[in-house]
Amino acid sequence: MTTIVEKVLYTGKVHTTGGRDGASRSSDGRLDVKLSSPGAPGNGTNPEQMFAAGWSACFMGAMGVAAARMKTRLPADAAIDAEVDLCGTGGEWFLRARLNVSLPGVEREVAQALVDAAHQTCPYSKATRGNIDVAISVV
């Protein structure tokens, strides 16, 4: 898919060494994490956790944009519990994900409309659409 880019808003630059048992550091030094394989001993994070954090943060932002367009607001205690599974079958690896969205005090129909709109505009949702199994629920 080729899309004409009018403007690059931001480029995240990260240098990683050692793979799943290494480290990642951003070019500006704001991200500096040790990595460890899922379930392995150690104090590092893993790509699945970082993907879940990035997607849920971006999705929350997309819900904020949707709320503004719908002339409503997200509650201050809005939250997303993101789960990203690393799966394997027949020697192949793949991801699947769930976003469980909590919008306390928001009517269910409005909450669902916000989630649906965010899923259409969030860059992470666009990147995963048709590529991995995704379930997004209002909880």
PDB file of all heavy atoms in Angstrom, residues 65-90:
ATOM      1  N   VAL A  65      -9.804  12.112  20.223  1.00  0.00           N
ATOM      2  CA  VAL A  65     -10.154  12.804  18.980  1.00  0.00           C
ATOM      3  C   VAL A  65     -11.605  12.505  18.608  1.00  0.00           C
ATOM      4  O   VAL A  65     -12.375  13.394  18.250  1.00  0.00           O
ATOM      5  CB  VAL A  65      -9.193  12.409  17.832  1.00  0.00           C
ATOM      6  CG1 VAL A  65      -9.679  12.926  16.493  1.00  0.00           C
ATOM      7  CG2 VAL A  65      -7.783  12.912  18.130  1.00  0.00           C
ATOM      8  N   ALA A  66     -11.991  11.229  18.722  1.00  0.00           N
ATOM      9  CA  ALA A  66     -13.367  10.834  18.411  1.00  0.00           C
ATOM     10  C   ALA A  66     -14.348  11.526  19.354  1.00  0.00           C
ATOM     11  O   ALA A  66     -15.415  11.988  18.924  1.00  0.00           O
ATOM     12  CB  ALA A  66     -13.520   9.317  18.510  1.00  0.00           C
ATOM     13  N   ALA A  67     -13.995  11.606  20.621  1.00  0.00           N
ATOM     14  CA  ALA A  67     -14.872  12.265  21.597  1.00  0.00           C
ATOM     15  C   ALA A  67     -15.066  13.734  21.240  1.00  0.00           C
ATOM     16  O   ALA A  67     -16.191  14.255  21.299  1.00  0.00           O
ATOM     17  CB  ALA A  67     -14.293  12.129  23.002  1.00  0.00           C
ATOM     18  N   ALA A  68     -14.001  14.412  20.857  1.00  0.00           N
ATOM     19  CA  ALA A  68     -14.112  15.819  20.473  1.00  0.00           C
ATOM     20  C   ALA A  68     -15.020  15.974  19.256  1.00  0.00           C
ATOM     21  O   ALA A  68     -15.847  16.897  19.208  1.00  0.00           O
ATOM     22  CB  ALA A  68     -12.726  16.401  20.194  1.00  0.00           C
ATOM     23  N   ARG A  69     -14.887  15.087  18.288  1.00  0.00           N
ATOM     24  CA  ARG A  69     -15.741  15.137  17.092  1.00  0.00           C
ATOM     25  C   ARG A  69     -17.203  14.877  17.443  1.00  0.00           C
ATOM     26  O   ARG A  69     -18.106  15.402  16.800  1.00  0.00           O
ATOM     27  CB  ARG A  69     -15.271  14.129  16.057  1.00  0.00           C
ATOM     28  CG  ARG A  69     -13.985  14.528  15.389  1.00  0.00           C
ATOM     29  CD  ARG A  69     -13.549  13.523  14.353  1.00  0.00           C
ATOM     30  NE  ARG A  69     -12.301  13.938  13.738  1.00  0.00           N
ATOM     31  CZ  ARG A  69     -11.455  13.125  13.149  1.00  0.00           C
ATOM     32  NH1 ARG A  69     -11.718  11.829  13.077  1.00  0.00           N
ATOM     33  NH2 ARG A  69     -10.347  13.580  12.627  1.00  0.00           N
ATOM     34  N   MET A  70     -17.428  14.050  18.466  1.00  0.00           N
ATOM     35  CA  MET A  70     -18.788  13.718  18.886  1.00  0.00           C
ATOM     36  C   MET A  70     -19.314  14.714  19.930  1.00  0.00           C
ATOM     37  O   MET A  70     -20.394  14.524  20.473  1.00  0.00           O
ATOM     38  CB  MET A  70     -18.825  12.295  19.458  1.00  0.00           C
ATOM     39  CG  MET A  70     -18.540  11.223  18.420  1.00  0.00           C
ATOM     40  SD  MET A  70     -18.345   9.556  19.141  1.00  0.00           S
ATOM     41  CE  MET A  70     -19.954   9.299  19.864  1.00  0.00           C
ATOM     42  N   LYS A  71     -18.509  15.737  20.203  1.00  0.00           N
ATOM     43  CA  LYS A  71     -18.866  16.770  21.179  1.00  0.00           C
ATOM     44  C   LYS A  71     -19.148  16.182  22.564  1.00  0.00           C
ATOM     45  O   LYS A  71     -20.124  16.523  23.234  1.00  0.00           O
ATOM     46  CB  LYS A  71     -20.053  17.584  20.686  1.00  0.00           C
ATOM     47  CG  LYS A  71     -19.830  18.159  19.289  1.00  0.00           C
ATOM     48  CD  LYS A  71     -20.177  19.602  19.216  1.00  0.00           C
ATOM     49  CE  LYS A  71     -20.094  20.147  17.820  1.00  0.00           C
ATOM     50  NZ  LYS A  71     -18.807  20.230  17.241  1.00  0.00           N
ATOM     51  N   THR A  72     -18.268  15.263  22.970  1.00  0.00           N
ATOM     52  CA  THR A  72     -18.331  14.680  24.303  1.00  0.00           C
ATOM     53  C   THR A  72     -16.912  14.625  24.844  1.00  0.00           C
ATOM     54  O   THR A  72     -15.983  15.088  24.190  1.00  0.00           O
ATOM     55  CB  THR A  72     -19.003  13.285  24.271  1.00  0.00           C
ATOM     56  OG1 THR A  72     -19.227  12.848  25.609  1.00  0.00           O
ATOM     57  CG2 THR A  72     -18.179  12.272  23.505  1.00  0.00           C
ATOM     58  N   ARG A  73     -16.743  14.097  26.048  1.00  0.00           N
ATOM     59  CA  ARG A  73     -15.419  13.998  26.651  1.00  0.00           C
ATOM     60  C   ARG A  73     -15.185  12.596  27.165  1.00  0.00           C
ATOM     61  O   ARG A  73     -16.122  11.918  27.565  1.00  0.00           O
ATOM     62  CB  ARG A  73     -15.298  14.965  27.823  1.00  0.00           C
ATOM     63  CG  ARG A  73     -15.494  16.412  27.448  1.00  0.00           C
ATOM     64  CD  ARG A  73     -15.355  17.261  28.654  1.00  0.00           C
ATOM     65  NE  ARG A  73     -14.043  17.902  28.562  1.00  0.00           N
ATOM     66  CZ  ARG A  73     -13.646  18.855  29.347  1.00  0.00           C
ATOM     67  NH1 ARG A  73     -14.405  19.274  30.310  1.00  0.00           N
ATOM     68  NH2 ARG A  73     -12.459  19.405  29.189  1.00  0.00           N
ATOM     69  N   LEU A  74     -13.931  12.212  27.165  1.00  0.00           N
ATOM     70  CA  LEU A  74     -13.568  10.957  27.811  1.00  0.00           C
ATOM     71  C   LEU A  74     -13.537  11.197  29.312  1.00  0.00           C
ATOM     72  O   LEU A  74     -13.105  12.257  29.766  1.00  0.00           O
ATOM     73  CB  LEU A  74     -12.181  10.491  27.354  1.00  0.00           C
ATOM     74  CG  LEU A  74     -12.007  10.084  25.903  1.00  0.00           C
ATOM     75  CD1 LEU A  74     -10.573   9.615  25.669  1.00  0.00           C
ATOM     76  CD2 LEU A  74     -12.987   8.996  25.511  1.00  0.00           C
ATOM     77  N   PRO A  75     -13.972  10.223  30.101  1.00  0.00           N
ATOM     78  CA  PRO A  75     -13.883  10.400  31.550  1.00  0.00           C
ATOM     79  C   PRO A  75     -12.415  10.416  31.994  1.00  0.00           C
ATOM     80  O   PRO A  75     -11.555   9.799  31.347  1.00  0.00           O
ATOM     81  CB  PRO A  75     -14.623   9.180  32.107  1.00  0.00           C
ATOM     82  CG  PRO A  75     -14.635   8.182  31.006  1.00  0.00           C
ATOM     83  CD  PRO A  75     -14.580   8.956  29.721  1.00  0.00           C
ATOM     84  N   ALA A  76     -12.141  11.102  33.086  1.00  0.00           N
ATOM     85  CA  ALA A  76     -10.768  11.206  33.595  1.00  0.00           C
ATOM     86  C   ALA A  76     -10.193   9.842  33.944  1.00  0.00           C
ATOM     87  O   ALA A  76      -8.982   9.640  33.874  1.00  0.00           O
ATOM     88  CB  ALA A  76     -10.728  12.120  34.815  1.00  0.00           C
ATOM     89  N   ASP A  77     -11.061   8.894  34.306  1.00  0.00           N
ATOM     90  CA  ASP A  77     -10.585   7.568  34.683  1.00  0.00           C
ATOM     91  C   ASP A  77     -10.727   6.538  33.556  1.00  0.00           C
ATOM     92  O   ASP A  77     -10.753   5.334  33.801  1.00  0.00           O
ATOM     93  CB  ASP A  77     -11.275   7.079  35.953  1.00  0.00           C
ATOM     94  CG  ASP A  77     -12.798   7.135  35.884  1.00  0.00           C
ATOM     95  OD1 ASP A  77     -13.341   7.697  34.905  1.00  0.00           O
ATOM     96  OD2 ASP A  77     -13.448   6.628  36.810  1.00  0.00           O
ATOM     97  N   ALA A  78     -10.784   7.023  32.323  1.00  0.00           N
ATOM     98  CA  ALA A  78     -10.794   6.112  31.169  1.00  0.00           C
ATOM     99  C   ALA A  78      -9.515   5.278  31.210  1.00  0.00           C
ATOM    100  O   ALA A  78      -8.455   5.763  31.601  1.00  0.00           O
ATOM    101  CB  ALA A  78     -10.866   6.902  29.868  1.00  0.00           C
ATOM    102  N   ALA A  79      -9.632   4.008  30.819  1.00  0.00           N
ATOM    103  CA  ALA A  79      -8.468   3.119  30.868  1.00  0.00           C
ATOM    104  C   ALA A  79      -8.589   2.043  29.792  1.00  0.00           C
ATOM    105  O   ALA A  79      -9.692   1.721  29.348  1.00  0.00           O
ATOM    106  CB  ALA A  79      -8.354   2.455  32.236  1.00  0.00           C
ATOM    107  N   ILE A  80      -7.443   1.525  29.386  1.00  0.00           N
ATOM    108  CA  ILE A  80      -7.403   0.417  28.438  1.00  0.00           C
ATOM    109  C   ILE A  80      -6.469  -0.643  28.992  1.00  0.00           C
ATOM    110  O   ILE A  80      -5.312  -0.353  29.324  1.00  0.00           O
ATOM    111  CB  ILE A  80      -6.907   0.867  27.042  1.00  0.00           C
ATOM    112  CG1 ILE A  80      -7.828   1.925  26.463  1.00  0.00           C
ATOM    113  CG2 ILE A  80      -6.787  -0.344  26.108  1.00  0.00           C
ATOM    114  CD1 ILE A  80      -7.330   2.535  25.166  1.00  0.00           C
ATOM    115  N   ASP A  81      -6.973  -1.857  29.097  1.00  0.00           N
ATOM    116  CA  ASP A  81      -6.137  -3.003  29.432  1.00  0.00           C
ATOM    117  C   ASP A  81      -5.836  -3.705  28.116  1.00  0.00           C
ATOM    118  O   ASP A  81      -6.734  -4.267  27.487  1.00  0.00           O
ATOM    119  CB  ASP A  81      -6.853  -3.942  30.401  1.00  0.00           C
ATOM    120  CG  ASP A  81      -7.021  -3.322  31.777  1.00  0.00           C
ATOM    121  OD1 ASP A  81      -6.035  -2.768  32.285  1.00  0.00           O
ATOM    122  OD2 ASP A  81      -8.128  -3.396  32.329  1.00  0.00           O
ATOM    123  N   ALA A  82      -4.577  -3.630  27.698  1.00  0.00           N
ATOM    124  CA  ALA A  82      -4.163  -4.221  26.422  1.00  0.00           C
ATOM    125  C   ALA A  82      -3.437  -5.531  26.682  1.00  0.00           C
ATOM    126  O   ALA A  82      -2.614  -5.621  27.598  1.00  0.00           O
ATOM    127  CB  ALA A  82      -3.254  -3.255  25.667  1.00  0.00           C
ATOM    128  N   GLU A  83      -3.752  -6.532  25.875  1.00  0.00           N
ATOM    129  CA  GLU A  83      -3.118  -7.841  25.974  1.00  0.00           C
ATOM    130  C   GLU A  83      -2.627  -8.233  24.584  1.00  0.00           C
ATOM    131  O   GLU A  83      -3.409  -8.231  23.630  1.00  0.00           O
ATOM    132  CB  GLU A  83      -4.120  -8.877  26.477  1.00  0.00           C
ATOM    133  CG  GLU A  83      -4.724  -8.543  27.833  1.00  0.00           C
ATOM    134  CD  GLU A  83      -5.874  -9.451  28.215  1.00  0.00           C
ATOM    135  OE1 GLU A  83      -6.408 -10.167  27.339  1.00  0.00           O
ATOM    136  OE2 GLU A  83      -6.251  -9.440  29.396  1.00  0.00           O
ATOM    137  N   VAL A  84      -1.348  -8.536  24.477  1.00  0.00           N
ATOM    138  CA  VAL A  84      -0.771  -8.979  23.212  1.00  0.00           C
ATOM    139  C   VAL A  84      -0.161 -10.352  23.435  1.00  0.00           C
ATOM    140  O   VAL A  84       0.717 -10.512  24.283  1.00  0.00           O
ATOM    141  CB  VAL A  84       0.289  -7.981  22.680  1.00  0.00           C
ATOM    142  CG1 VAL A  84       0.969  -8.532  21.433  1.00  0.00           C
ATOM    143  CG2 VAL A  84      -0.345  -6.625  22.402  1.00  0.00           C
ATOM    144  N   ASP A  85      -0.672 -11.331  22.714  1.00  0.00           N
ATOM    145  CA  ASP A  85      -0.191 -12.704  22.837  1.00  0.00           C
ATOM    146  C   ASP A  85       0.860 -12.993  21.770  1.00  0.00           C
ATOM    147  O   ASP A  85       0.654 -12.663  20.598  1.00  0.00           O
ATOM    148  CB  ASP A  85      -1.334 -13.704  22.619  1.00  0.00           C
ATOM    149  CG  ASP A  85      -2.467 -13.551  23.614  1.00  0.00           C
ATOM    150  OD1 ASP A  85      -2.200 -13.218  24.772  1.00  0.00           O
ATOM    151  OD2 ASP A  85      -3.627 -13.790  23.212  1.00  0.00           O
ATOM    152  N   LEU A  86       1.946 -13.626  22.165  1.00  0.00           N
ATOM    153  CA  LEU A  86       2.906 -14.208  21.229  1.00  0.00           C
ATOM    154  C   LEU A  86       2.514 -15.669  21.105  1.00  0.00           C
ATOM    155  O   LEU A  86       2.515 -16.404  22.096  1.00  0.00           O
ATOM    156  CB  LEU A  86       4.338 -14.070  21.755  1.00  0.00           C
ATOM    157  CG  LEU A  86       5.423 -14.750  20.928  1.00  0.00           C
ATOM    158  CD1 LEU A  86       5.487 -14.181  19.515  1.00  0.00           C
ATOM    159  CD2 LEU A  86       6.765 -14.625  21.635  1.00  0.00           C
ATOM    160  N   CYS A  87       2.122 -16.084  19.921  1.00  0.00           N
ATOM    161  CA  CYS A  87       1.595 -17.433  19.695  1.00  0.00           C
ATOM    162  C   CYS A  87       2.498 -18.192  18.733  1.00  0.00           C
ATOM    163  O   CYS A  87       3.231 -17.590  17.953  1.00  0.00           O
ATOM    164  CB  CYS A  87       0.192 -17.357  19.090  1.00  0.00           C
ATOM    165  SG  CYS A  87      -0.975 -16.370  20.035  1.00  0.00           S
ATOM    166  N   GLY A  88       2.380 -19.490  18.786  1.00  0.00           N
ATOM    167  CA  GLY A  88       3.130 -20.327  17.860  1.00  0.00           C
ATOM    168  C   GLY A  88       2.316 -21.515  17.421  1.00  0.00           C
ATOM    169  O   GLY A  88       1.504 -22.042  18.188  1.00  0.00           O
ATOM    170  N   THR A  89       2.518 -21.907  16.182  1.00  0.00           N
ATOM    171  CA  THR A  89       1.905 -23.127  15.659  1.00  0.00           C
ATOM    172  C   THR A  89       2.749 -23.624  14.487  1.00  0.00           C
ATOM    173  O   THR A  89       3.142 -22.836  13.628  1.00  0.00           O
ATOM    174  CB  THR A  89       0.433 -22.895  15.231  1.00  0.00           C
ATOM    175  OG1 THR A  89      -0.145 -24.137  14.846  1.00  0.00           O
ATOM    176  CG2 THR A  89       0.314 -21.924  14.094  1.00  0.00           C
ATOM    177  N   GLY A  90       3.057 -24.891  14.500  1.00  0.00           N
ATOM    178  CA  GLY A  90       3.814 -25.487  13.405  1.00  0.00           C
ATOM    179  C   GLY A  90       5.142 -24.806  13.132  1.00  0.00           C
ATOM    180  O   GLY A  90       5.561 -24.712  11.987  1.00  0.00           O
TER     181      GLY A  90
END
